[in-house]
Structures are given as C-alpha cells and as structure tokens.
C-alpha cells in the first residue's frame, strides 16, 4: 500500500491548481507525519479524479497543496443505497466503514419498530466514511444521511429503484425462524430476476422486522424480499454479505 498520504479535499482540482487543507488535515501532514514543503500527497474531491500533489506552503496551521499531475480520472461509483437500522455504536461504525469500502454511494440509517439505538450522529458517521474512502482509494465519498423512519426512507427512493429487503424469517410465528411460509428467495436469484443499474439494500435491527413491517414492506411494488442463506447473520454480517452479492452480480465487481 502506498505510504503517500491520500486526502479528500473540497477544492476543485486542476493542473497547476492549488488545494487548501483544513486545519486537521494540515496538522496530520505536518505534525503527525512530519512532512514539509515538497512532500508528495495524493488528493481527490469526488469530482475531478485523483491527483498527485506536493505540499507547497506551510504557514502556521495553513497548508496549501499544489497539483502536479492527474493520477486517475474520475470514475462513477455504482448507485447503491444501504438502508440499515442503527446498531450499537461500534457495530454501526463497522457497517459504515465496510459499506464505504464495498462501494455504497448512500448510507441511510432507518428507524424501525425494533431498532435499539435511539440516536445516530450522522456527522460522526460521515467522518468514518471519509476516512474509509481515503483508505480504500475510492474516488468519491458515500453520503451518510441523518436517520429517518423506514417508511419515509423508502418513499424517498426513486420509484424504479429496487429495494432488496433482507428477510431472515418466514411468516409462521410459531415455527423456527418463521418456518418455510413466505420465506424469501435467494438474493442472487432475485438480483438476476430484477437487475437494475441502481439498487437499495435493507437490513433490519438485531431484533429483525416486526410482522407489521414485513407485511408493509412486501406490499411495496419495488421491494423484493431476499434470503442470505439458512443461518441468522448479525446485521453487520448481513450488510457486508448483501452488498458483496449486489456488487458481484450488478455492481462494479463484474
Ligand atoms: N430476527 C433475527 C435477528 C435479525 S438479524 C433473530 O430472531 O435472531 C438482523 C438483520 O440481518 C435482519 O433483520 C435481516 O435484515 C438480516 N439478516 C440476518 N440473517 C439473514 C438471512 N439469513 N437472510 C436475510 N437477511 C438476514
């Protein structure tokens, strides 16, 4: 892995152009990495590709980079949304970091009947996504939204956006894991049957979806229940698995 630091910046990036770093980034380069003028840095802004740059100016806390050459031209990221019920803090952080590495473009925490975690700090999660995007060498940042109720989050999606609703249970409350009635088909089969250039994956909380939610989810024309196999996965495992399948069948891993 390259030892040259890679940073997300807001400035436009062009040949012989400059990019001003924020205070934390400037401190990281000059104090933590102890880099000085002339040191190489790689930058991206989600619009203009990735550039090789050099530290041009260090004045107190202000650090300015000068662009030298475009390293990679901007590439589009698949239009994949992850809707997930917030979990305990560390597990939510894990979901955001892995969704970023796996190429999700929008991360939407959703409040459901059984969601355990009350509040979600979108600004804190966005920072986790930014650091993961720098590390994973993405050319863009996933957007992390504030939490929304599941109905509103689904309503906000484009009407032609398939929602792959990860459903671990069958409909029979008296049977183990809901028995076989209403059990969802395998996700790979559903992806092949409902291909689309955009998509959304829905992952429930530790307690799963309520019976009412299950009925209302399946009543939506663009929602497709999918199974991730015969075992109950932790929500964070289910998120990684479902995104991996989508990327492999419909995304940019093909
Ligand atoms: N209700 C379960 C736990 C839910 S697991 C129980 O009784 O233990 C948390 C979420 O992960 C689920 O809501 C679902 O979205 C997803 N998930 C876990 N295992 C799954 C599977 N085998 N198939 C589809 N989704 C699964």
């Amino acid at each position: 892995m390259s030892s040259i630091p890679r940073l997300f910046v807001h400035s436009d990036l062009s040949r012989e152009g400059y990019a001003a770093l924020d205070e934390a980034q400037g401190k990281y380069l000059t104090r933590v990495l102890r880099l000085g003028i002339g040191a190489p840095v790689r930058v991206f802004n989600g619009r203009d590709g990735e550039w090789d740059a050099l530290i041009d100016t260090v004045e107190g806390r202000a650090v300015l980079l000068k662009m030298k050459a475009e390293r990679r031209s901007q590439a589009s990221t698949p239009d994949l949304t992850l809707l997930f019920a917030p979990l305990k803090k560390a597990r939510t952080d894990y979901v955001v970091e892995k969704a970023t590495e796996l190429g999700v473009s929008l991360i939407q925490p959703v409040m459901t009947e059984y969601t355990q975690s009350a509040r979600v700090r979108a600004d804190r999660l966005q920072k986790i996504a930014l650091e993961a995007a720098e590390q994973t060498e993405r050319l863009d940042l996933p957007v992390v939204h504030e939490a929304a109720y599941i109905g509103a989050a689904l309503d906000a999606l484009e009407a032609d956006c398939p929602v792959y609703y990860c459903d671990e249970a069958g409909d029979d409350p008296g049977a183990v894991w809901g028995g076989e009635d209403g059990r969802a088909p395998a996700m790979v089969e559903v992806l092949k049957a409902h291909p689309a250039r955009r998509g959304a994956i829905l992952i429930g909380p530790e307690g799963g979806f309520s019976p009412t939610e299950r009925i209302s989810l399946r009543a939506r024309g663009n929602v497709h229940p999918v199974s991730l196999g015969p075992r109950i996965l932790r929500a964070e495992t289910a998120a990684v698995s479902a995104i991996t399948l989508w990327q492999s069948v419909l995304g940019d891993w093909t």
Side-chain angles (χ1 to χ4, degrees), residues 166-168 203-209 226-229 231-233 235 238:
C166 293
D167 178 7
E168 80 286 353
I203 304 287
E206 295 92 336
F209 291 101
V226 297
S227 167
L228 296 173
R231 286 169 288 279
I232 295 287
L233 310 176

Side-chain angles (χ1 to χ4, degrees), residues 80-191:
L80 178 60
T81 295
L82 173 65
L83 305 162
F84 80 105
L87 306 160
K88 296 210 176 13
K89 184 170 165 295
R91 293 187 189 283
T92 293
D93 294 1
Y94 177 87
V95 169
V96 169
E97 182 180 75
K98 297 313 153 197
T100 300
E101 292 174 54
L102 294 171
V104 165
S105 50
L106 171 59
I107 297 172
Q108 172 63 67
V110 290
M111 305 312 276
T112 69
E113 279 185 57
Y114 299 155
T115 298
Q116 302 280 318
S117 306
R119 194 161 133 56
V120 179
R121 287 274 313 277
D123 58 338
R124 199 179 65 77
L125 297 180
Q126 185 66 70
K127 192 163 177 354
I128 289 171
L130 187 150
E131 287 169 5
E134 290 174 338
Q135 175 276 326
T136 202
E137 309 216 346
R138 282 182 63 143
L139 289 171
D140 67 342
L141 279 194
V143 175
V144 182
H145 277 181
E146 292 293 345
Y149 283 104
I150 186 167
L154 290 169
D155 293 346
L157 294 172
E158 300 284 341
D160 66 347
C161 177
V163 178
Y164 306 102
Y165 148 41
C166 293
D167 178 7
E168 80 286 353
D171 284 339
D172 179 351
V176 176
W177 296 344
E180 287 313 303
D181 296 348
R183 187 158 290 282
M187 183 165 177
V188 169
E189 299 316 315
V190 176
L191 291 171

